[in-house]
Amino acid sequence: MSPIPKTAPFAEEEIDLLNRVVGTASPIQRAWLAGFLAGIDASGGVLLPQPATQARPAEPLTIVYASESGNSEKLASDLAKAARKNGLKPNIVDMADLELAALTEAKRLVIIAATWGEGEPPARSVRTYNELMGESAPRLDGIEFGVLALGDTAYAEFCAIGKKIDERLAALGGKRVVDRVDCDLDFTEPAARWIGDAVKVLTPPNAGGRVIEVDFGAKPAAVPGTDIVEAKIIEHVDLNSSRSDKETMHLALSFEGSAPAYEPGDSLDVYAENDPAYVDELLKITGLAGNDKLRTEFIKSRDVTTLSLKAVEIYAERTGHHYVKALIAAGQAKEWIAGRQLIDLIATFPIAIDAETLRALTRPLAPRAYSIASSRREVGDEAHLLISAVRYDSRGRARKGVASNYVAERRKRGDRLRVRLKPNKHFALPAGDKDIIMVGPGTGIAPFRAFVQERRATQAPGRSWLFFGDRTFTHDFLYQLDWQEALKDGALTRMDVAFSRDRPEKVYVQHKLWERRVELVEWLDGGAYFYVCGDAKAMAKDVRNALVRAYADVKALSPVAAEQAVSALEREKRYLQDVY
Ligand SMILES: Cc1cc2nc3c(=O)[nH]c(=O)nc-3n(C[C@H](O)[C@H](O)[C@H](O)COP(=O)(O)OP(=O)(O)OC[C@H]3O[C@@H](n4cnc5c(N)ncnc54)[C@H](O)[C@@H]3O)c2cc1C
Ligand SMILES: Cc1cc2nc3c(=O)[nH]c(=O)nc-3n(C[C@H](O)[C@H](O)[C@H](O)COP(=O)(O)O)c2cc1C
């Protein structure tokens, strides 16, 4: 763009020079320059030593994110970029680090919040979330706010945390200026639209430039090194014995060229395909069998198993099915969905549907995350995964998890697998001289294999202590030889194991923590980092409770003081979780 015309009262080379500067300037820079020059004129042509006051300070925008696997965090950064372009001064805060009192100073506030567990806040955000919901939360009178909620319609408590935060901010006196949007797993487009709207609404007219229209529908630029890549499976081994009732696959992946630049604690997203037998049955009961193009599409790219409330509503609306409508009208649909899949809806309330209706009942097939179980410093350009095949019965049907069975049953050595690096800087190793305590029953052990390999490769002097648990010593001791080796060469200092089905009484990792409580508290008092990975429903909570009880017992603390001791570890980022 050449804003200075050839007719301007300057020499030709001066016009070129000005255009080189002004032509590439942002609206904020142009506004500043205009104000600055006007200021000089107003002062009689004298350059007064106050040019900074000519620029209007950018209006602040506080962006808080509550995130576990990084989606909300990434959106917070997208929002900040867009806000900055519009002359706002964004300040991004992880909810984990937020002091609520600071919110009272905010003029404009956006919260981007994910829901985890069964309608719970992301682990790191629990403390702040509880304070926000608690009686002593500060008033937020007049603060303009908007909430973007992230979730998954497969869960009964869809976007529960975003919804509750939105209500709470209003109850505390905040002024909702952007309506909440609840995003499903395919959040890219709705989230980008919401960000576009939010920035428009939250930008005051005097924000140091005019509002720029940004193409929020455009695909966001990929973070370097996180593209989807094809890996080759070079090892595909069941680590459980043939007499175990579990199947946990160890996968070694190789890459054309270098492996994605992962660090211990990161995961890989695996892009799986559906079970063709399931898709065939689904197409048969919908009357769509024989359509090969549709079959391929549904195997490769649609989520054909999840049954959400939204899908039930769409089914009722599109088919007009009397009984499904009655189920919704009676408020029983949510309850009916539990333990069922899309195939149950159509099999129970059969009606012929067209391809478009079936497509409308499904969402894009989402990848599944798996912790990386190796360190590049030990395995070079490979990445290892540990994947437990999910199989269970419910409502009279045998069910199989999509991705875990794709890998366990339909992939073998030599096959390809599409994966994408999912970095997790919140579950990283500390400096090498720090002690680490790792609690990882079942597949929760995976990232700790990466930790131990990394510590060996870097000859880290810090001590490391691993707690592992599974069903039986003989059939389910995942990576047993690795741990024995690591204990021998010193990469692992100690290991405690809990096998729940070896003895009449059940023993879990939390029992081992309790048994070892004196040394545990000693390690933590000496600055050790505490890591938990694996089951979020029961294990992670039981482990935390065990640690609180350990503090209370070893240090003779009241339950409240012991809770504060563990909270302090969380605040110091020495209690880290990656649970699912
Ligand atoms: C950050 C992160 C790291 C992870 N790391 C690992 C890892 O290292 N190894 C690993 O194996 N997994 C890991 N997971 C879990 C993994 O991503 C998948 O969720 C898991 O493999 C199941 O995926 P699936 O496609 O096989 O099953 P899906 O098709 O997604 O089915 C799973 C669903 O089935 C239902 N379900 C499962 N069991 C039962 C039951 N007994 N009764 C009733 N309903 C049930 C639940 O609704 C569940 O959500 C991780 C998850 C996250 C978020
Ligand atoms: C173990 C697990 C539990 C989850 N629980 C819920 C839930 O109860 N309700 C919901 O709406 N979404 C749930 N989700 C979906 C997440 O909210 C969703 O993946 C979101 O994009 C994550 O955002 P984040 O990366 O910022 O943490 C869950 C996801 C996982 C892996």
Side-chain angles (χ1 to χ4, degrees):
M1 179 168 83
S2 294
I4 315 285
K6 293 271 181 215
T7 51
F10 288 98
E12 202 168 313
E13 63 275 25
E14 286 171 328
I15 289 176
D16 283 344
L17 203 62
L18 282 167
N19 275 331
R20 257 190 279 156
V21 177
V22 183
T24 57
S26 70
I28 294 171
Q29 289 169 322
R30 281 203 291 274
W32 181 87
L33 197 59
F36 176 69
L37 294 175
I40 290 178
D41 283 345
S43 64
V46 186
L47 196 64
L48 297 174
Q50 51 178 6
T53 58
Q54 302 296 333
R56 196 188 297 277
E59 290 284 336
L61 170 68
T62 303
I63 304 170
V64 176
Y65 64 86
S67 184
E68 182 124 359
S69 60
N71 296 334
S72 311
E73 185 172 1
K74 166 74 175 60
L75 291 175
S77 127
D78 291 350
L79 171 60
K81 263 185 227 147
R84 213 170 282 121
K85 279 190 183 156
N86 281 270
L88 289 166
K89 190 176 167 213
N91 175 29
I92 305 184
V93 191
D94 186 342
M95 199 181 226
D97 303 322
L98 178 68
E99 295 304 335
L100 276 191
L103 279 193
T104 57
E105 304 294 317
K107 263 172 112 173
R108 302 171 193 84
L109 170 67
V110 167
I111 299 192
I112 305 181
T115 299
W116 277 75
E118 303 288 330
E120 288 152 37
R124 296 204 307 280
S125 311
V126 169
R127 172 192 64 84
T128 318
Y129 176 81
N130 288 341
E131 284 173 14
L132 183 67
M133 295 297 147
E135 278 174 10
S136 47
R139 297 284 311 166
L140 301 173
D141 291 309
I143 294 177
E144 294 184 353
F145 77 89
V147 173
L148 180 65
L150 260 61
D152 178 346
T153 48
Y155 288 87
E157 299 304 323
F158 174 55
C159 285
I161 295 305
K163 289 175 186 168
K164 285 184 191 161
I165 290 176
D166 190 39
E167 277 168 23
R168 184 67 178 150
L169 295 181
L172 291 171
K175 186 175 158 208
R176 185 185 297 107
V177 293
V178 198
D179 284 338
R180 191 190 71 244
V181 164
D182 300 331
C183 298
D184 201 354
L185 289 183
D186 49 340
F187 58 81
T188 310
E189 277 179 23
R193 262 196 310 276
W194 188 89
I195 287 175
D197 292 346
V199 168
K200 262 189 216 158
V201 173
L202 289 161
T203 303
N206 60 351
R210 64 192 144 83
V211 173
I212 307 162
E213 294 293 334
V214 183
D215 180 8
F216 292 101
K219 279 206 158 145
V223 179
T226 58
D227 298 332
I228 301 176
V229 290
E230 275 220 338
K232 187 172 164 192
I233 301 174
I234 54 172
E235 286 170 27
H236 186 269
V237 184
D238 179 6
L239 297 189
N240 298 105
S241 90
S242 56
R243 286 172 54 202
S244 170
D245 43 12
K246 290 171 113 182
E247 191 178 13
T248 315
M249 308 307 299
H250 161 77
L251 250 62
L253 304 177
S254 72
F255 299 85
E256 232 161 70
S258 5
Y262 67 85
E263 290 298 328
D266 290 348
S267 301
L268 282 185
D269 264 348
V270 168
Y271 289 78
E273 290 182 8
N274 289 301
D275 184 351
Y278 179 101
V279 172
D280 285 341
E281 195 184 341
L282 189 67
L283 294 181
K284 197 169 138 206
I285 60 172
T286 47
L288 290 164
N291 184 338
D292 287 348
K293 205 162 150 245
L294 195 68
R295 180 178 186 267
T296 307
E297 179 195 339
F298 275 78
I299 289 174
K300 284 187 180 297
S301 60
R302 304 303 297 176
D303 177 352
V304 289
T305 50
T306 297
L307 180 59
S308 64
L309 191 57
K310 195 170 127 201
V312 177
E313 284 164 1
I314 292 172
Y315 194 68
E317 188 194 313
R318 292 218 176 189
T319 63
H321 201 296
H322 179 68
Y323 290 116
V324 183
K325 280 182 155 179
L327 199 67
I328 296 169
Q332 289 167 352
K334 204 168 169 179
E335 202 183 307
W336 191 86
I337 285 168
R340 290 193 165 93
Q341 296 178 328
L342 181 60
I343 205 161
D344 301 279
L345 175 72
I346 302 171
T348 313
F349 306 107
I351 200 159
I353 55 174
D354 59 15
E356 201 34 55
T357 300
L358 186 57
R359 213 172 273 120
L361 292 171
T362 63
R363 57 184 182 172
L365 181 57
R368 310 303 200 254
Y370 294 96
S371 310
I372 299 175
S374 55
S375 154
R376 279 190 299 149
R377 284 171 190 83
E378 183 152 313
V379 304
D381 279 320
E382 291 179 11
H384 298 182
L385 299 178
L386 180 69
I387 301 184
S388 169
V390 171
R391 293 175 191 133
Y392 60 97
D393 288 317
S394 86
R395 311 277 185 181
R397 254 180 202 267
R399 318 272 175 177
K400 288 180 178 181
V402 171
S404 57
N405 286 285
Y406 171 70
V407 167
E409 296 184 351
R410 297 193 303 286
R411 296 286 90 184
K412 54 184 190 317
R413 201 156 68 89
D415 284 348
R416 308 256 155 198
L417 195 63
R418 289 168 70 233
V419 297
R420 177 190 210 145
L421 174 59
K422 207 160 189 269
N424 184 357
K425 61 179 190 287
H426 303 289
F427 201 70
L429 273 168
D433 60 344
K434 303 285 180 202
D435 293 341
I436 54 173
I437 300 163
M438 301 164 282
V439 184
T443 52
I445 198 78
F448 302 137
R449 186 165 177 267
F451 279 26
V452 169
Q453 288 186 354
E454 178 85 2
R455 287 219 138 184
R456 177 189 292 122
T458 55
Q459 297 191 332
R463 295 176 299 170
S464 49
W465 187 355
L466 178 61
F467 288 85
F468 172 68
D470 214 308
R471 287 186 182 164
T472 69
F473 177 93
T474 317
H475 306 298
D476 309 304
F477 199 158
L478 307 176
Y479 292 125
Q480 182 182 6
L481 295 181
D482 287 57
W483 310 127
Q484 281 168 351
E485 195 112 319
L487 284 165
K488 229 187 279 165
D489 67 25
L492 191 56
T493 316
R494 308 185 51 157
M495 181 163 188
D496 279 276
V497 289
F499 291 101
S500 59
R501 300 200 182 174
D502 276 349
R503 284 188 284 164
E505 75 282 13
K506 300 256 187 225
V507 184
Y508 296 111
V509 281
Q510 59 269 27
H511 300 119
K512 288 289 158 187
L513 291 170
W514 174 249
E515 268 175 36
R516 304 280 183 250
R517 60 192 177 281
V518 175
E519 292 131 296
L520 200 62
V521 171
E522 230 170 66
W523 277 51
L524 290 167
D525 278 353
Y529 284 62
F530 190 87
Y531 294 86
V532 187
C533 183
D535 172 57
K537 278 195 194 94
M539 186 276 294
K541 294 183 184 98
D542 292 343
V543 163
R544 196 181 183 284
N545 287 340
L547 198 60
V548 171
R549 287 197 302 116
Y551 268 101
D553 186 71
V554 174
K555 301 194 143 200
L557 300 176
S558 69
V560 172
E563 168 59 38
Q564 280 167 353
V566 175
S567 293
L569 290 177
E570 288 167 340
R571 275 179 190 249
E572 291 164 26
K573 308 224 175 348
R574 285 202 290 128
Y575 189 116
L576 301 164
Q577 292 195 59
D578 193 13
V579 295
Y580 44 86

